[in-house]
């Protein structure tokens, strides 16, 4: 058996309500499919999960994301966790096992049940602690529920808790943002992610923006929010290890790091992506179609258009540049069989001259300024 470092992603495509900014493959009002979906997903875990364990050994990380995994009723979540535990070895802390949770969907018993089944990391989509702002962006929970969810999680034994926060939201002020960050810090999570609002096509916010009805903060205000967060989190012991991610020492998300480090992962469930042996695959997005494919023993996966060598190099560079470790020359050369400098020497020089990049000989990585203006820096790594 070829022992490999690899990860497993499990997708739960259900949400109670669609947040106004969200373009993830998740659906509200499809609860009627939950039972059948979990049955099909458990079957896929059993068949495909086992086959990769036989080939590569146990995965280093398992991540149940969505959607809202915690929107599943406790009995279905338990069924899913049992299926995962039957295929992968999840005892102890060796495997990082994360479940994404919406604070409006959990109670102490639900959290304790997940902990008892080997989950050792929770990622709470909090976004804000301000009830009015939460309502304005379509979240189903309150600030108090977010606080309680984190407190309950700790009480039932979780020490590795992550909190997501958003900035640049409609009607959001600097004072609200600061209060939210302070509230998050007071909960002492192991990990904090920060996301600026992106207006994605097809979302309620994109439509409102087209109609001129979205009251967004100015670019200067959004930039000030970003500057504040990227200052205050490290000052409070949260080391930045990726553009949007900060963690106490030893608590960087191993699963997410594996995406940026070009490691393989197996995606299970509708709309899940896989990256296996250099090829990217995408599963059927529609829930009923996914269930039918699994039931009839067919593969739910389609191979994505294979990337050209140039696109593969760009992707490798973009992903690695997101992390503070940056692009390793050695890893680039191992993967592509040519020297990093033969491809990117001029881009590196231009970005170093602007103060966006540091070159330490082994790796090149973005400076704080480079992370702030990441898109400009990434453009330099386009090959055409
Ligand atoms: S809960 Fe998460 S996945 Fe669901 S709609 Fe909101 S942001 Fe999207």
């Amino acid at each position: 058996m070829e022992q490999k470092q690899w990860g497993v992603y499990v997708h739960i495509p259900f949400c109670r309500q669609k947040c106004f900014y969200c373009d993830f493959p998740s659906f509200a009002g499809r609860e009627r499919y939950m039972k059948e979906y979990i049955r099909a997903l458990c079957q896929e875990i059993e068949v495909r999960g086992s086959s990769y364990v036989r080939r590569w050994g146990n995965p280093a990380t398992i991540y149940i994301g969505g959607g809202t995994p915690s929107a599943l009723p406790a009995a279905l979540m338990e069924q899913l966790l049992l299926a995962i535990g039957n295929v992968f070895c999840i005892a102890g802390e060796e495997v990082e096992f994360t479940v994404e949770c919406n604070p409006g969907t959990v109670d102490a018993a639900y959290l304790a049940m997940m902990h008892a089944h080997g989950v050792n990391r929770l990622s709470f989509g909090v976004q804000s602690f301000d009830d009015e702002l939460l309502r304005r962006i379509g979240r189903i929970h309150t600030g108090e529920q977010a606080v309680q969810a984190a407190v309950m999680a700790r009480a039932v034994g979780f020490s590795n808790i992550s909190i997501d926060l958003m900035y640049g939201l409609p009607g959001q002020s600097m004072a609200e943002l600061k209060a939210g960050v302070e509230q998050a810090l007071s909960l002492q999570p192991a990990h904090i992610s920060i996301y600026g609002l992106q207006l994605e096509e097809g979302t309620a916010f994109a439509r409102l923006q087209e109609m001129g009805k979205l009251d967004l903060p100015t670019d200067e205000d959004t930039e000030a929010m970003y500057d504040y967060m990227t200052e205050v989190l490290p000052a409070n012991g949260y080391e930045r290890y990726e553009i949007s991610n900060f963690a106490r020492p030893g608590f960087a998300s191993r699963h997410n790091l594996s995406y940026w480090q070009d490691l393989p992962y197996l995606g299970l469930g509708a709309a899940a992506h896989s990256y296996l042996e250099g090829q990217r695959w995408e599963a059927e997005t529609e829930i009923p179609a996914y269930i039918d494919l699994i039931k009839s023993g067919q593969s739910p996966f389609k191979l994505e258009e294979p990337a050209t060598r140039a696109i593969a190099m760009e992707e490798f560079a973009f992903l690695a540049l997101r992390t503070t470790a940056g692009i390793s020359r050695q890893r680039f050369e191992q993967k592509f069989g040519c020297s990093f400098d033969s491809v990117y020497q001029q881009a590196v020089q231009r970005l170093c001259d602007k103060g966006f990049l540091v070159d330490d000989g082994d790796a090149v990585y973005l400076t704080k300024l480079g992370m702030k203006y990441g898109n400009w820096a990434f453009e330099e790594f386009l090959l055409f």
Side-chain angles (χ1 to χ4, degrees):
M1 181 175 70
E2 180 198 3
Q3 192 76 37
K4 250 194 205 298
Q5 192 183 340
W6 64 294
V8 172
Y9 174 78
V10 179
H11 191 68
I12 303 299
F14 306 101
C15 287
R16 296 254 173 99
Q17 168 177 302
K18 195 77 186 166
C19 302
F20 303 152
Y21 55 86
C22 177
D23 74 336
F24 296 156
S26 66
F27 305 95
R30 307 268 174 100
E31 288 78 5
R32 63 190 179 281
Y33 294 119
M34 277 182 176
K35 250 188 177 166
E36 270 200 285
Y37 180 78
I38 293 300
R39 198 178 306 139
L41 180 57
C42 290
Q43 195 179 323
E44 199 194 3
I45 289 168
E46 167 69 35
V47 175
R48 295 187 73 230
S50 308
S51 99
Y52 278 91
V53 170
R54 280 195 297 274
R55 290 174 63 185
W56 292 344
N58 205 43
T61 62
I62 302 171
Y63 192 104
I64 307 182
T68 307
S70 56
L72 292 174
L76 292 181
M77 174 58 87
E78 194 160 22
Q79 187 182 339
L80 173 63
L81 296 176
L82 284 169
I84 289 173
N86 280 339
V87 171
F88 308 111
C89 177
I90 51 172
E93 294 287 315
E94 215 161 282
V95 174
E96 180 190 89
F97 188 0
T98 306
V99 179
E100 281 180 357
C101 295
N102 183 311
T105 58
V106 291
D107 58 21
Y110 196 99
L111 296 169
M113 178 271 291
M114 291 197 290
H115 191 258
H117 285 291
V119 178
N120 54 28
R121 184 173 185 271
L122 295 178
S123 174
F124 285 110
V126 170
Q127 322 311 358
S128 163
F129 291 91
D130 182 290
D131 292 348
E132 171 54 27
L133 186 55
L134 287 165
R135 193 192 54 75
R136 213 179 301 139
I137 63 174
R139 302 290 299 177
I140 58 164
H141 60 89
T142 62
E144 181 55 23
Q145 280 177 308
V147 171
Q148 286 312 318
V151 170
M152 285 186 295
R154 200 178 297 280
V156 302
F158 286 99
S159 54
N160 193 352
I161 296 169
S162 179
I163 285 181
D164 290 354
L165 296 173
M166 291 183 77
Y167 63 96
L169 296 169
Q172 190 176 30
S173 66
M174 190 60 158
E176 183 284 323
L177 181 94
K178 283 186 173 175
V181 171
E182 274 161 30
Q183 177 68 272
L185 289 172
S186 75
L187 295 169
Q188 301 184 328
H191 186 282
I192 297 178
S193 301
I194 61 166
Y195 298 108
L197 175 69
Q198 303 284 331
L199 292 177
E200 304 291 355
E201 210 180 307
T203 60
F205 273 173
R207 286 192 290 280
L208 282 175
Q209 174 75 347
E210 270 169 34
M211 292 187 277
K213 290 186 179 169
L214 202 60
D215 170 28
L216 292 175
T218 62
D219 288 349
E220 291 72 29
D221 286 348
T222 301
E223 190 175 329
M225 291 179 194
Y226 170 92
D227 287 342
Y228 169 74
M229 294 174 108
T230 54
E231 287 290 333
V232 78
L233 295 178
N236 281 274
Y238 291 85
E239 199 176 302
R240 190 179 201 178
Y241 68 98
E242 194 267 349
I243 287 186
S244 305
N245 288 287
F246 299 75
R248 288 191 183 281
F251 287 98
S253 160
R254 284 163 53 203
H255 185 80
N256 288 340
L257 270 173
S258 71
Y259 294 147
W260 302 312
Q261 290 169 343
D262 198 46
L263 293 171
Y265 53 89
L266 171 66
L268 299 161
H273 288 254
S274 296
Y275 178 53
L276 302 162
E277 287 150 315
Q279 292 183 312
R280 296 190 186 278
W281 303 76
E282 184 186 8
E284 168 62 48
T285 309
E286 288 299 324
I287 300 168
Y290 166 82
I291 294 170
D292 287 346
L293 285 167
I294 297 285
K295 266 188 183 166
S296 59
Q298 297 176 64
S299 165
F301 277 82
K302 284 191 308 267
L303 189 58
E304 289 181 15
E305 184 86 10
T308 61
R309 185 172 160 78
I311 290 176
M313 285 180 178
E314 290 169 1
E315 278 177 2
F316 182 91
F318 294 162
L319 289 171
L321 275 180
R322 292 190 63 89
T323 66
T324 46
I327 307 170
S328 149
R329 282 189 162 80
Q330 193 189 16
R331 294 189 61 200
F332 184 94
E333 287 166 20
Q334 270 167 1
K335 182 168 171 86
F336 297 107
C338 66
S339 91
F340 173 72
D341 293 312
S342 69
V343 184
Y344 281 126
Q345 192 177 24
Q346 288 178 5
V348 167
Q349 193 55 58
R350 280 195 292 272
L351 288 168
C352 286
D353 291 347
K354 284 183 189 154
F356 283 8
L357 204 69
V358 171
D359 182 352
D360 72 7
D362 294 331
V364 298
Y365 48 87
L366 291 174
T367 59
K368 195 169 176 220
L369 190 68
M371 287 213 167
K372 182 169 178 178
Y373 300 109
N375 288 344
W376 293 352
F378 290 163
E379 270 178 30
E380 285 284 1
F381 282 84
L382 290 171
L383 291 170
F384 294 103

